[in-house]
Amino acid sequence: TGEVIGKWFACPFSIEPTRPPGGSGSSSSNLSRIRAIQDGLDEGFIQKCREAFNTFDQDGSGTIDTQEMKLLLEAIGEAPSEEELFRFMADVDEDGTGEIEFAEFLRAFEKQRGGAQELENELDTIDAFVALGGGGDKSGFVDTDRLIAVVKDEFGMTLKIERLIEELDKDKDGKLNFQEFAALFV
């Protein structure tokens, strides 16, 4: 399921709306749920999601049913089995209606975007680990004296890095492995 979802949400495709945004099927409870999710999301992202949703809500019901979802996935080059389609719908359809409302659709896209951000953050942490002497495969160590020098001298930060390192260096060997180092950024 995750693989299908990942491919679906990662796939760039252009959208031509089949009906204007805010078409039929929007209830006031859905609108309030949508507003709640939209807090913090950028308007361009929301609009693209709305256009994609409207494109595949072919009957204008305000929801995407299983058949419409199958067409959506086929449009981006997927050929889901009935089982994959069922699992996909179950993952996204949070209220169990058998159809995906815009709020659920938007949350699914936002989750995918969040997952991409987590991956980017981990790659940044690995880059910093490597720059300080660790291995790109998360092996090796960062010397705590070097880390202190970089934080204080090169970046001019005034935080109490020694105390933080003391808490993170579980085996007190003066070095941070990747797990200990990554905990600096949590």
Side-chain angles (χ1 to χ4, degrees):
T1 305
E3 184 177 313
V4 172
I5 292 171
K7 288 180 184 176
W8 175 42
F9 291 118
C11 179
F13 53 95
S14 61
I15 306 297
E16 294 298 323
T18 56
R19 60 190 176 85
S24 66
S26 297
S27 69
S28 61
S29 67
N30 274 348
L31 289 176
S32 62
R33 285 174 60 204
I34 292 168
R35 284 190 193 103
I37 314 178
Q38 290 176 349
D39 292 345
L41 298 182
D42 95 15
E43 195 58 41
F45 173 77
I46 295 167
Q47 182 60 33
K48 285 182 182 183
C49 287
R50 172 57 78 184
E51 290 172 3
F53 184 85
N54 289 342
T55 297
F56 292 100
D57 176 20
Q58 295 184 342
D59 63 3
S61 65
T63 62
I64 295 177
D65 62 26
T66 304
Q67 193 56 38
E68 291 167 328
M69 181 56 68
K70 184 176 182 180
L71 292 173
L72 184 154
L73 293 171
E74 288 172 349
I76 61 169
E78 292 297 316
S81 68
E82 290 300 316
E83 181 183 340
E84 288 173 323
L85 186 59
F86 175 78
R87 281 186 287 159
F88 181 83
M89 289 293 290
D91 286 349
V92 178
D93 179 24
E94 296 172 353
D95 61 7
T97 61
E99 299 180 324
I100 299 172
E101 291 86 19
F102 180 66
E104 293 166 329
F105 187 80
L106 188 59
R107 268 194 296 278
F109 267 97
E110 182 59 16
K111 281 181 193 172
Q112 179 62 28
R113 194 164 78 164
Q117 184 61 49
E118 287 175 22
L119 176 61
E120 187 175 323
N121 290 346
E122 180 167 353
L123 293 174
D124 288 346
T125 302
I126 292 171
D127 287 345
F129 186 69
V130 169
L132 291 167
D137 61 353
K138 302 180 187 177
S139 65
F141 299 92
V142 168
D143 179 76
T144 56
D145 291 334
R146 173 146 165 70
L147 178 58
I148 291 167
V150 167
V151 168
K152 289 188 169 190
D153 301 338
E154 293 182 33
F155 290 112
M157 299 174 92
T158 58
L159 57 103
K160 296 181 182 186
I161 189 71
E162 295 92 346
R163 200 162 124 207
L164 185 57
I165 289 172
E166 187 178 315
E167 290 175 26
L168 295 173
D169 186 11
K170 301 293 182 200
D171 55 8
K172 308 297 181 210
D173 63 354
K175 300 182 281 186
L176 298 179
N177 64 30
F178 182 78
Q179 297 280 33
E180 293 167 332
F181 180 77
L184 283 168
F185 304 101
V186 176

